[in-house]
């Protein structure tokens, strides 16, 4: 687990610890393989968090991921429609944004208009889970539901009590203890743990780390170990061992490398032992500190592996699995769906249209609507430019995940109560007076999840010349939108700081004029629309939802 800076507020530190403990593993798959749903399931009992009519789980082929699908049935009096509707959420968000309350539910509104509506939660979001046995899905769903709700409440509660923390709190212990006799030095245990860590790095974490990333992480571990040396005279010997171990880790694994790493690790531990004895009085906690260093490093390696997915995993595996499942459940006559995406959800739809067009395939989408989405942010002043530093792979290895949900939950009291230290955060989410306070609170405290840095790295390519590209960097998702055959409705908010109107307009210009409709929400004198107001704003039901319903109705023929 990465070290949390001590100057962070107590609520933020607590939230980060909780977020870093909630991690899930996955396997990689191939693009658009035929889907089989024998291992998918509808839960007999929904967890409290899910306010849909049903909760389904669809399996992602070649992995243990079970993606949550919230299902909403049209009422008997609703118009009959020919196509079901799939909703895709933004980066690091779950289904709650589409269903904040009975009076503010885009999903429920669309089902009321006759569209059988489904919300997909991609891997790592909301109630999606990783279990090897389907019989464990229901237990996992209820556990996740409880965790999301209780974690948000606890984070907000802790923040309100932070002001009560005083100087009377116990002072932290010294970093180095030099009192008493030296504790027993369990050499064999330390050697075994360090050897296992070095072997993992040598094996490139079974393919999760590139050679350059493995070298970076190895050097980082040695830097941490070097900080434990109290005797500067030991550095020359330490650097000699470090150089040889790094050379082995960088080389390709062979039959003899294990023994060589073990021998060098033994020398390293002996050196640390000598260093412990060379200072007076001797250190009594060196073994504990070294063990802690190894554990922290191992936890960080685990995060890199467990959050190892990007935008293309969503595009090539998660979304196709959900589409095929919805088609199998609803059986539209022409085999097509409607799809709506907010923020990254809309970007996924754009990318799918581009990929299908480039391969000459007919997408199984009758029409698409996007809310605050673009594949090219180069001309806009988007607040997401703050993420660009994460495009450095070294930064992503140092901070393998961004616990967005925990951070926002901890920051919310500082943005909504005097002295409003973080009130600027509200403008990123909702324009002034556009979202009811209780709905804004539910959105902030329950809707956001942990984001892999690997996902953010790929999304930052949208700020480079040519716009968003695939993980190889060779396919530009904007290049083939001009030849798509799918009608598109693109909506933008006039006060959207995350996806400004100019970014949406730049993507709209790529489509054939006869297939694309663009609408800017907001008036010079108000009301105004920020990023989430298009979905959950108090006027969305009057000004946004009817635009979408009219557009989809126009294209609902079979």
């Amino acid at each position: 687990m990465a070290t949390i800076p001590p100057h962070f507020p107590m609520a933020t530190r607590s939230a980060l610890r909780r977020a870093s403990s909630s991690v899930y593993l996955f396997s990689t798959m191939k693009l658009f393989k035929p889907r089989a749903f024998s291992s998918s399931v509808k839960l007999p009992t929904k967890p409290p968090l899910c306010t849909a009519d049903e909760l389904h789980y669809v399996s992602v082929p070649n992995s243990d991921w079970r993606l949550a699908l919230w299902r909403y049935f049209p009422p008997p009096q609703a118009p009959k429609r020919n196509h079901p509707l799939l909703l895709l959420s933004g980066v690091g968000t779950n289904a709650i944004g589409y269903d904040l309350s009975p009076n503010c539910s885009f999903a429920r509104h669309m089902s009321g208009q006759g569209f059988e509506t489904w919300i997909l939660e991609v891997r790592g979001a909301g109630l999606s889970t990783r279990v090897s046995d389907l019989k464990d899905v229901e237990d996992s769903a209820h556990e996740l539901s409880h965790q999301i709700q209780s974690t948000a409440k606890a984070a907000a509660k802790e923040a309100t009590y932070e002001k009560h923390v005083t100087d009377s709190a116990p002072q932290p212990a010294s970093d180095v203890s030099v009192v008493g006799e030296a504790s027993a030095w369990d050499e064999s245990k330390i050697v075994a743990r360090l050897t296992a860590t070095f072997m993992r790095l040598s094996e490139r974490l079974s393919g999760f780390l590139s050679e350059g990333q493995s070298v970076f992480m190895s050097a980082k571990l040695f830097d941490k170990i070097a900080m434990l040396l109290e005797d500067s005279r030991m550095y020359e010997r330490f650097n000699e061992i470090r150089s040889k171990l790094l050379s082995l880790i960088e080389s390709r694994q062979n039959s003899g490398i294990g023994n060589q790493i073990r021998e060098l690790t033994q020398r390293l531990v002996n050196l640390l032992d000598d260093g412990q004895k060379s200072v007076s009085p001797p250190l009594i906690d060196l073994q504990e500190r070294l063990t802690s260093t190894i554990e922290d490093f191992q936890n960080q390696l685990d995060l890199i592996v467990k959050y190892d997915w990007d935008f293309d995993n969503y595009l090539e595996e998660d979304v196709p699995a959900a589409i095929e499942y919805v088609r199998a459940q609803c059986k539209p006559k022409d085999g097509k769906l409607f799809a709506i995406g907010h923020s990254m959800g809309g970007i996924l739809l754009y990318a799918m249209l581009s990929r299908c067009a480039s391969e000459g395939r007919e997408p199984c989408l009758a029409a698409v609507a996007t809310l605050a989405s673009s594949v090219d942010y180069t001309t806009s002043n988007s607040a997401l430019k703050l993420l660009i530093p994460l495009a450095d792979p070294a930064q992503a290895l140092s901070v393998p995940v961004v616990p967005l949900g925990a951070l926002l939950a901890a920051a919310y009291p500082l943005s909504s109560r005097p002295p409003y230290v973080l009130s600027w955060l509200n403008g990123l989410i909702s324009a002034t007076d556009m979202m009811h306070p209780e709905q804004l609170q539910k959105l902030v405290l329950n809707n956001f999840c942990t984001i892999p840095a690997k996902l953010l790295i790929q999304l930052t390519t949208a700020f480079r010349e040519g716009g968003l590209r695939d993980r190889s960097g060779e396919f530009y998702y904007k290049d083939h939108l001009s030849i798509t055959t799918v009608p598109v409705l693109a909506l933008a908010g006039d006060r959207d700081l995350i996806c400004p109107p100019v970014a949406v307009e730049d993507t709209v210009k790529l489509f054939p004029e006869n297939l694309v409709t663009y609408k800017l929400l907001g008036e010079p004198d108000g009301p105004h629309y920020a990023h989430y107001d298009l979905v959950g704003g108090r006027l969305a039901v009057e000004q946004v939802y009817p635009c979408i319903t009219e557009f989809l109705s126009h294209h609902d023929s079979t």
Side-chain angles (χ1 to χ4, degrees):
M1 186 182 303
T3 302
I4 302 171
H7 63 272
F8 274 29
M10 180 176 66
T12 304
R13 297 199 304 270
S14 299
L16 283 168
R17 291 189 189 99
R18 286 193 299 270
S20 63
S21 66
S22 304
V23 291
Y24 308 100
L25 206 60
F26 88 104
S27 301
T28 55
M29 288 70 62
K30 297 296 182 180
L31 173 62
F32 300 127
K33 296 180 71 174
R35 312 294 173 181
F37 303 109
S38 59
S39 57
S40 300
V41 67
K42 180 189 82 173
L43 292 194
T45 305
K46 297 187 292 93
L49 187 72
C50 179
T51 49
D53 297 321
E54 293 179 352
L55 181 61
H56 291 241
Y57 278 86
V58 59
S59 300
V60 177
N62 305 320
S63 84
D64 289 337
W65 274 107
R66 318 295 178 180
L67 308 180
L69 279 163
W70 298 34
R71 187 181 195 177
Y72 301 79
F73 290 108
Q77 69 274 17
K80 301 301 179 184
R81 306 291 186 176
N82 296 310
H83 299 97
L85 172 62
L86 179 64
L87 306 182
L88 304 179
S89 303
V91 61
T93 61
N94 55 39
I96 291 174
Y98 283 123
D99 194 5
L100 285 171
S101 72
N103 297 324
C104 184
S105 173
F106 180 65
R108 192 65 69 182
H109 177 90
M110 296 308 293
S111 66
Q113 297 299 311
F115 300 99
E116 183 172 323
T117 302
W118 300 71
I119 309 175
L120 169 64
E121 293 185 316
V122 293
R123 67 186 70 188
L127 299 177
S128 289
T129 183
R130 182 185 182 270
V131 293
S132 57
D133 195 326
L134 272 177
K135 68 181 182 181
D136 298 325
V137 168
E138 185 170 4
D139 289 341
S140 179
H142 283 267
E143 182 179 345
L144 285 169
S145 173
H146 174 74
Q147 180 183 357
I148 292 170
Q149 294 176 312
S150 61
T151 298
K153 291 177 181 177
K157 183 177 180 181
E158 286 178 13
T160 62
Y161 285 105
E162 185 174 328
K163 62 183 179 180
H164 298 296
V165 177
T166 66
D167 293 337
S168 62
Q171 295 299 312
S174 171
D175 287 340
V176 180
S177 175
V178 293
V179 181
E181 298 183 0
S183 59
W185 177 254
D186 192 344
E187 184 176 292
S188 61
K189 182 177 180 180
I190 295 294
V191 170
R193 298 192 70 168
L194 263 178
T195 300
T197 301
F198 291 139
M199 288 298 295
R200 284 191 80 195
L201 288 168
S202 176
E203 295 163 3
R204 312 269 199 275
L205 296 180
S206 301
F208 287 99
L209 292 181
S210 67
E211 181 175 345
Q213 292 171 329
S214 181
V215 171
F216 174 84
M217 294 299 290
S218 302
K220 185 174 179 179
L221 174 59
F222 279 113
D223 288 343
K224 290 181 177 295
I225 295 175
M227 295 174 64
L228 301 178
L229 288 174
E230 298 292 331
D231 189 343
S232 60
R233 294 171 297 178
M234 301 288 180
Y235 282 123
E236 184 176 348
R237 290 169 57 192
F238 174 80
N239 287 329
E240 177 190 353
I241 297 172
R242 170 183 177 141
S243 177
K244 291 181 179 180
L245 274 168
L246 282 175
S247 178
L248 285 175
I249 290 170
E250 292 175 36
S251 67
R252 292 185 176 273
Q253 189 176 14
N254 56 55
S255 57
I257 194 173
N259 289 332
Q260 295 178 63
I261 287 179
R262 192 174 296 106
E263 291 171 3
L264 286 169
T265 302
Q266 180 71 62
R267 289 177 56 188
L268 176 61
V269 172
N270 290 342
L271 173 65
L272 292 171
D273 190 19
D274 291 343
Q276 171 181 241
K277 297 173 182 176
S278 67
V279 295
S280 180
L283 305 175
I284 70 168
D285 63 349
L286 180 60
Q287 176 169 323
E288 181 179 330
R289 292 164 63 204
L290 180 57
T291 299
S292 178
T293 297
I294 299 172
E295 288 178 350
D296 286 348
F297 187 77
Q298 288 278 17
N299 288 338
Q300 190 163 1
L301 294 183
D302 290 341
L303 283 176
I304 292 171
V305 174
K306 293 172 182 177
Y307 280 89
D308 190 78
W309 69 83
D310 56 19
F311 179 86
D312 285 353
N313 288 116
Y314 294 153
L315 175 67
E316 299 168 1
E317 299 151 13
D318 294 15
V319 176
I323 287 177
E324 291 303 315
Y325 184 77
V326 173
R327 290 174 64 191
Q329 291 289 313
C330 300
K331 299 179 174 59
K333 292 182 180 180
D334 62 357
K336 295 184 177 181
L337 283 68
F338 288 136
I340 298 174
H342 174 252
S343 195
M344 187 193 71
I347 299 174
L348 282 166
L349 295 175
Y350 285 147
M352 178 172 287
L353 295 181
S354 180
R355 185 69 66 83
C356 289
S358 72
E359 298 173 358
R361 294 185 292 108
E362 182 71 20
C364 51
L365 299 172
V368 161
T370 65
L371 315 177
S373 303
S374 176
V375 291
D376 189 348
Y377 288 80
T378 54
T379 63
S380 74
N381 191 28
S382 169
L384 291 182
K385 287 184 178 180
L386 296 172
L387 301 177
I388 290 178
L390 279 174
D392 179 2
Q395 289 293 331
L397 291 172
S398 298
V399 187
V401 298
V402 177
L404 182 62
L407 291 172
L408 288 178
Y412 179 72
L414 301 177
S415 66
S416 59
R417 303 170 188 168
Y420 303 104
V421 178
L422 297 178
S423 59
W424 57 270
L425 283 174
N426 292 340
L428 295 177
I429 297 172
S430 177
T432 304
D433 296 328
M434 277 299 286
M435 193 173 287
H436 294 291
E438 62 273 14
Q439 291 164 2
L440 178 60
Q441 177 173 324
K442 183 176 182 180
L443 181 74
V444 172
L445 298 184
N446 294 273
N447 185 56
F448 295 94
C449 314
T450 297
I451 308 172
K454 188 173 182 180
L455 168 61
L456 294 179
I457 287 176
Q458 186 174 358
L459 289 177
T460 58
T461 63
F463 293 91
R464 302 177 191 168
E465 184 178 356
L468 183 69
R469 62 200 74 175
D470 70 353
R471 69 168 66 97
S472 73
E474 299 177 358
F475 186 91
Y476 291 78
Y477 285 115
K478 64 186 287 185
D479 284 354
H480 304 279
L481 295 177
S482 61
I483 57 175
T484 186
T485 59
V486 177
V488 173
L489 169 66
L491 303 183
D494 65 331
R495 293 288 176 88
D496 192 336
L497 303 177
I498 293 177
C499 185
V502 64
V504 180
E505 292 166 8
D506 286 345
T507 297
V508 166
K509 294 174 184 176
L510 302 171
F511 287 89
E513 289 187 10
N514 64 315
L515 287 179
V516 66
T517 302
Y518 170 68
K519 185 173 180 61
L520 176 64
L521 278 300
E523 301 293 338
D525 297 325
H528 300 293
Y529 284 82
H531 197 61
Y532 283 92
D533 295 326
L534 295 172
V535 177
R538 60 183 177 85
L539 296 179
V541 67
E542 301 172 14
Q543 299 184 354
V544 181
Y545 301 174
C547 296
I548 299 172
T549 301
E550 180 182 358
F551 172 77
L552 295 183
S553 299
H554 180 71
H555 296 284
D556 196 36
S557 59
T558 56

